[in-house]
Every structure is written in structure tokens, then in C-alpha cells.
Amino acid sequence: MNNRRNFIKKTAALTLGVSTIGAISNPLSSKTIPSQQINGINIVGPKEGFTPEIGTLVSMMNWMRGTMLRPVFGMSQKDLDYLHDANSNSVGAMLMHLVATERFYQRNTFKGKVHFEEGKKEDQMYEAASSLGDAGRATFKGEELDYYLDKLEACRAFSLAELAKYDDKWLEVVDTSFWGSPTNNYCKWFHVVEHESNHNGQIKYLKSRLHSK
């Protein structure tokens, strides 16, 4: 029991010492700068030109986009078309898949549409990108990186221009019949961020397997 009490006392003293050192070396309050006064990719929060919650969403969209694009810079057309096996998707097809997903949520949240339109060439491309698999492998090949970057940039520019027209209450609007589960606009657009995070891992994996065969 004496040994246990001595151990507890020593631990408490050590913890107090570490806390004191931390307080001295990392002073807070007066020298802390509010994040809203700083601009930068790593500042998640309100952004100029948007209402507070939409600006926060935009900051997350921007951060994830930069993270997702980092591994594809410098990839050749051959790299973008690489198929790891007969059932895999190429990096190029997955980049177009991200474009198609964002286009879908644009149409769904801005116009209330739930499907791409049949017969339209552009929509057929988005359908192939959404489906991936055989359609994606057949449609997206032979293009340089700039082709995909231009598609991603144009799509995102439209998203930001439209989001700037709405307010935070719009994010709360609930679609009670969205694929069988009530879903608000905030969740739909957060999925755009989460979706890029998901495929970012796949893109990194495919890049690591280039020239492995």
C-alpha cells in the first residue's frame, strides 16, 4: 500500500510538472489569433462570399480537393489509363467519377433532379463516370491529365458560384424521399467531400501499383 501511495504521489507531481511546463511554453488567450482573421487552406471555417456554414463547407471542399489532387500531379496519360486488373478502374475514370458525383449533387440540390437526362451526350458521359466498371473503362482513356483537371475545375467553379447564392437555412432543407432516407442539403454536400476522401485512397493505391507488373 505504501508503494502504491508513493507511486500515485510521484505520478501526480510529474503530471503537475508537465502541465506547468506546457502552460509556460504554450501560452494561450492573449496571443491566440482568431481563425476568421486568417486565410489559408488549413483554416476550416467561414469564407468571404458565403454565409458562415456554407463557407465552412466550402473550406472543407477546398481542403479535400487539394489533398485528392496531390497524388495525380505528374501522372502521364499511360498512368491515368493504367488498369491494375480486368475489374479495376483507372485513375482517369475515377477523376471523372468525382466530376459526375458533384454534377449529380448540383442538379439534385439546385434543380431538384434525381437523374441525368437520357440522350444527352454530356449526360451519357456522366452516366459512364458514375457507373465506372465496363462503361468507365471504355469511355475514359487516352486523355492527358489536363483534360481531367479542366473538368474538375469547371465543375467546382459552378458549385461555388451556385453555393454563394444560398444561405445557411438552405443547408438545413430536408429531402424526405432521397433514396429512401431523409437527407438535408448539408449532408448531400458533405458527401461530395467524403466521396473524394474515399477515392483519394484508391487513387493512391493505384499509383503505388504502377509498373508493378
Side-chain angles (χ1 to χ4, degrees), residues 111-126:
K111 298 181 179 181
K113 296 183 178 181
V114 293
H115 299 290
F116 290 117
E117 296 180 34
E118 294 184 9
K120 284 191 174 182
K121 185 175 181 181
E122 185 179 36
D123 282 12
Q124 289 175 346
M125 177 184 68
Y126 292 144

Side-chain angles (χ1 to χ4, degrees), residues 106-173:
Q106 289 172 356
R107 296 183 184 201
N108 180 256
T109 59
F110 303 147
K111 298 181 179 181
K113 296 183 178 181
V114 293
H115 299 290
F116 290 117
E117 296 180 34
E118 294 184 9
K120 284 191 174 182
K121 185 175 181 181
E122 185 179 36
D123 282 12
Q124 289 175 346
M125 177 184 68
Y126 292 144
E127 283 285 5
S130 294
S131 302
L132 290 177
D134 290 338
R137 285 187 286 272
T139 305
F140 304 109
K141 56 186 178 181
E143 302 288 356
E144 298 291 343
L145 179 60
D146 281 348
Y147 171 84
Y148 300 107
L149 295 181
D150 288 346
K151 295 286 187 186
L152 285 159
E153 183 178 354
C155 181
R156 179 54 55 86
F158 182 78
S159 293
L160 298 181
E162 289 298 304
L163 287 170
K165 300 175 183 179
Y166 294 88
D167 61 19
D168 292 348
K169 286 193 174 297
W170 175 81
L171 288 175
E172 300 172 9
V173 173

Side-chain angles (χ1 to χ4, degrees), residues 2-75:
N2 286 334
N3 288 338
R4 184 181 178 187
R5 279 193 292 269
N6 289 334
F7 173 77
I8 292 173
K9 288 179 180 179
K10 289 179 180 179
T11 302
L14 178 61
T15 302
L16 179 60
V18 170
S19 299
T20 303
I21 293 171
I24 294 172
S25 63
N26 187 30
L28 300 176
S29 66
S30 61
K31 294 187 178 181
T32 300
I33 303 172
S35 63
Q36 62 267 27
Q37 296 180 13
I38 305 174
N39 290 317
I41 193 65
N42 291 327
I43 304 299
V44 173
K47 297 296 177 186
E48 185 177 353
F50 304 92
T51 55
E53 286 297 326
I54 290 182
T56 299
L57 172 66
V58 166
S59 70
M60 291 187 283
M61 291 168 62
N62 291 342
W63 190 93
M64 192 63 242
R65 175 56 56 86
T67 299
M68 183 276 297
L69 287 179
R70 200 168 296 126
V72 307
F73 287 129
M75 292 184 77

